[in-house]
């Protein structure tokens, strides 16, 4: 074991030293890659995530997360074997995309609202791309085919829910062996009274335990959000530079040659090996490469769908940094991403088999395509850097409101369903 550790330490040290020399040798390319990464972060990632970070902290500090968690317990526990607060992680993950789910899951775990196994289950199925990225960036911006957005979205989110159902069995033996104590949140779920009464009790109790003023919550939300976003930005720049350096030293071509036989086993064109390689590291670069590859359109969509589900080592690094300080393990998350990628590719193929007409080249510009194209171009370089920033900020705010509205509507539907089931419309 000691020899193995020495070898690993030496290999890591010499690898970092080699990368340092490469950065010095290709300083101009590294600078260009850094600027590209910073531009992506400043104009797209920052305005897309910042509102969700702040809103989620406000909802948590006011006790609304606990309120919704009690209401969603009857749905989340049977489906995914997680507490009701998993619904908040899921909805915010769907609306904001990577790595919003990791931020919330880590926070809930630190505050004792879920067990370690439950946190790993939540992280497995809530890590999804946001609709803005799938419909706008990939379908319209990269493939220039708005109709592909629905295909990719159906496959992506269906595969995500399937991963959640699979992962509901994750850690069952471990839970049975360790007999972990119930989380703080479960004590509120299983208290006496009707569901609505318990939900309001959880809200009041959480607000009393928090005790911070609204101004303090807002200030701390901005501070924590800024710190987390800086980490995310650093990872985006790091992997942008790393990919550029791999190309400069010729390692990219070698890795592509290794991936080509793997793709051929599944009957996929070897020309997509470059897209797959870039997608392993970074989701945006991989999706873009898949959209322009010299391969049949259905193969390009399948690879792009797998890349979006995998999300890239850049996102995985962001998640790892966010989970620092918790006992949540990263390996179950990585395995879930692999399963998600495989299922998303299969579901994409299934959707295309059911509706092959979507692959036909458009005969003309449809009204839907015109609307989508106009929507996508409203945030492009024609508006300048400030226009792109505010475009993504406005869309992010809209998705925040939509996610919260859907949570409330679903909560009401669950309450009505429970009332009908118990045949009690008076006692709440």
């Amino acid at each position: 074991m000691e020899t193995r550790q020495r070898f690993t330490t030496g290999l890591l040290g010499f690898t970092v030293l080699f990368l340092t020399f490469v950065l010095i040798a290709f300083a101009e390319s590294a600078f260009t890659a850094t600027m590209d990464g910073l531009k992506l972060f400043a104009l797209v990632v920052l305005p897309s995530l910042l509102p969700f970070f702040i809103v989620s902290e406000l909802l948590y500090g006011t006790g609304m997360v606990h309120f919704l968690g009690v209401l969603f317990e009857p749905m989340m526990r049977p489906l995914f074997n997680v507490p009701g607060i998993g619904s908040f992680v899921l909805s915010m993950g769907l609306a904001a995309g990577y790595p919003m789910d990791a931020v919330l899951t880590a926070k809930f775990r630190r505050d004792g609202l879920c067990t370690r196994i439950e946190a790993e289950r939540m992280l497995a199925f809530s890590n999804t791309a946001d609709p803005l990225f799938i419909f706008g960036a990939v379908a319209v911006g990269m493939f220039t085919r708005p109709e592909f957005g629905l295909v990719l979205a159906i496959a992506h989110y269906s595969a995500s829910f399937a991963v959640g159902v699979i992962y509901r069995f994750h850690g069952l033996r471990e839970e049975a062996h360790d007999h972990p104590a119930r989380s703080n949140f479960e004590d509120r779920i299983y208290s006496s009274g009707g569901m609505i009464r318990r939900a309001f009790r959880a809200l009041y109790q959480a607000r009393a335990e928090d005790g911070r003023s609204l101004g303090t919550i807002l200030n701390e939300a901005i501070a924590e959000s800024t710190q987390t976003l800086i980490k995310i930005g650093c990872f985006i720049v790091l992997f942008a530079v790393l990919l550029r350096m791999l190309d400069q030293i010729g390692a990219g071509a070698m890795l592509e040659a290794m991936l080509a036989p793997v793709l051929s086993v599944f009957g996929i064109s070897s020309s997509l090996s470059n897209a797959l390689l870039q997608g392993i590291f970074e989701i945006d670069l991989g999706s873009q490469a898949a959209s322009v590859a010299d391969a049949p359109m259905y193969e390009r969509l399948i690879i792009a769908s797998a890349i979006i589900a995998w999300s890239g080592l850049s996102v995985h690094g962001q998640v790892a940094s966010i989970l620092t300080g918790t006992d949540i393990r990263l390996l179950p998350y990585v395995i879930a991403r692999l399963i998600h990628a495989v299922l998303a590719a299969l579901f994409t193929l299934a959707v295309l088999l059911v509706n092959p007409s979507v692959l036909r080249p458009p005969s003309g510009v449809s009204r839907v395509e015109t609307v989508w194209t106009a929507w996508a171009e409203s945030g492009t370089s024609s508006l300048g850097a400030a226009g792109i920033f505010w475009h993504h900020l406005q869309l992010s705010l809209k998705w925040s409101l939509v996610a919260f509205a859907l949570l409330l509507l679903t909560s009401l539907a669950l309450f009505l369903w429970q009332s009908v089931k118990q045949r009690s419309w008076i006692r709440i």
Side-chain angles (χ1 to χ4, degrees), residues 133 137-139 142-143 152 272 274-276 278-280 282-293 300-301 303-309 311:
F133 176 75
V138 179
M142 299 178 187
F143 282 92
L152 293 172
L272 283 163
N274 175 260
L276 184 59
Q278 295 197 55
I280 290 175
E282 216 283 319
I283 181 175
D284 299 272
L285 296 176
S287 301
Q288 175 64 34
S291 68
V292 298
R300 290 152 59 186
L301 279 172
I303 293 298
S305 183
I307 290 172
I308 296 171
S311 69

Side-chain angles (χ1 to χ4, degrees), residues 248-387:
Q248 291 291 336
I249 64 177
M254 295 173 57
L255 293 173
E256 288 178 29
M258 296 172 60
L259 290 174
V262 178
L263 291 176
S264 62
V265 171
F266 297 97
I268 297 177
S269 174
S270 60
S271 61
L272 283 163
S273 58
N274 175 260
L276 184 59
L277 174 63
Q278 295 197 55
I280 290 175
F281 287 92
E282 216 283 319
I283 181 175
D284 299 272
L285 296 176
S287 301
Q288 175 64 34
S291 68
V292 298
D294 184 18
M297 183 60 75
Y298 77 93
E299 293 183 3
R300 290 152 59 186
L301 279 172
I302 290 173
I303 293 298
S305 183
I307 290 172
I308 296 171
W310 165 250
S311 69
L313 292 176
S314 176
V315 173
H316 298 178
Q318 297 168 29
V319 171
S321 68
I322 292 168
L323 298 182
T324 302
T326 71
D327 58 355
I328 303 174
R329 296 169 296 187
L330 192 63
L331 182 59
Y333 162 80
V334 176
I335 295 175
R337 300 283 61 76
L338 286 171
I339 298 174
H340 191 188
V342 173
L343 291 179
L346 293 176
F347 286 178
T348 302
L349 178 61
V351 173
L352 293 176
L353 289 175
V354 172
N355 186 23
S357 61
V358 74
L359 293 172
R360 297 172 186 167
S363 56
V365 180
S366 65
R367 181 182 178 185
V368 175
E369 184 174 353
T370 302
V371 172
W372 272 108
T373 303
W375 175 82
E377 290 179 349
S378 63
T380 57
S381 58
S382 61
L383 295 177

Side-chain angles (χ1 to χ4, degrees), residues 136-207:
V138 179
V140 176
M142 299 178 187
F143 282 92
T144 65
R145 296 282 297 274
E147 61 272 19
F148 288 170
L150 189 59
V151 175
L152 293 172
I154 291 174
H156 185 75
Y157 296 125
S158 298
S160 175
F161 293 143
V163 171
V165 174
I166 293 172
Y167 259 69
R168 76 179 310 279
F169 303 102
H170 165 68
L172 289 180
R173 292 183 180 180
E174 196 171 345
E175 283 182 331
H177 180 266
D178 294 340
H179 298 290
R182 291 196 313 189
S183 65
N184 299 337
F185 182 72
E186 286 182 296
D187 294 334
R188 302 170 187 181
I189 293 173
Y190 299 114
S191 59
S192 60
M195 185 169 63
I196 297 296
R197 181 177 297 175
R198 285 183 282 120
F200 275 104
R201 187 184 303 145
L203 185 150
Y204 298 145
Q205 184 179 347
R207 184 71 189 101

Side-chain angles (χ1 to χ4, degrees), residues 89-163:
V89 178
L90 177 61
S91 62
M92 285 297 173
L94 287 172
Y98 319 112
M100 188 68 205
D101 58 300
V103 174
L104 294 173
T105 302
K107 184 173 184 61
F108 292 163
R109 178 57 187 146
R110 291 190 187 99
D111 292 347
L113 297 183
C114 60
T115 65
R116 176 170 62 84
I117 298 297
E118 290 172 343
E120 291 171 355
R121 290 171 186 157
M122 282 192 290
L123 195 61
F125 71 89
S126 61
N127 193 78
T128 58
D130 60 284
L132 175 61
F133 176 75
I134 294 177
F135 284 95
V138 179
V140 176
M142 299 178 187
F143 282 92
T144 65
R145 296 282 297 274
E147 61 272 19
F148 288 170
L150 189 59
V151 175
L152 293 172
I154 291 174
H156 185 75
Y157 296 125
S158 298
S160 175
F161 293 143
V163 171

